[in-house]
Amino acid sequence: MANGIAFVIFVVDGQVVWRYCLLAMVVAAIGGYSSARLSKRVPQKVLRGLVVFIGLTMAAWFFWRA
């Protein structure tokens, strides 16, 4: 819901560059479907560990850059 409201605000304000937006939507849809299929093939413990590792790495990166 929050992203939808933000989207409407950006559209109304004329800040959306549609050619990039449409490309991002297509790529996000492809990534979402392919990631869902891939995640079913990866063992659950490996997938959880990967998610935790990526989350902690991103948090450390953002704190370091701030």
Side-chain angles (χ1 to χ4, degrees):
M1 188 69 174
N3 286 338
I5 293 170
F7 175 74
V8 170
I9 291 170
F10 285 127
V11 168
V12 170
D13 200 29
Q15 296 185 18
V16 176
V17 181
W18 287 104
R19 64 176 178 224
Y20 298 129
C21 184
L22 295 174
L23 177 64
M25 286 190 299
V26 170
V27 172
I30 292 169
Y33 283 114
S34 62
S35 296
R37 288 184 181 207
L38 178 64
S39 68
K40 290 180 181 180
R41 297 180 184 171
V42 176
Q44 191 174 19
K45 285 186 177 187
V46 173
L47 189 60
R48 284 183 182 174
L50 186 61
V51 169
V52 169
F53 174 75
I54 291 171
L56 291 174
T57 303
M58 288 177 64
W61 172 261
F62 288 128
F63 280 118
W64 180 71
R65 298 286 299 179

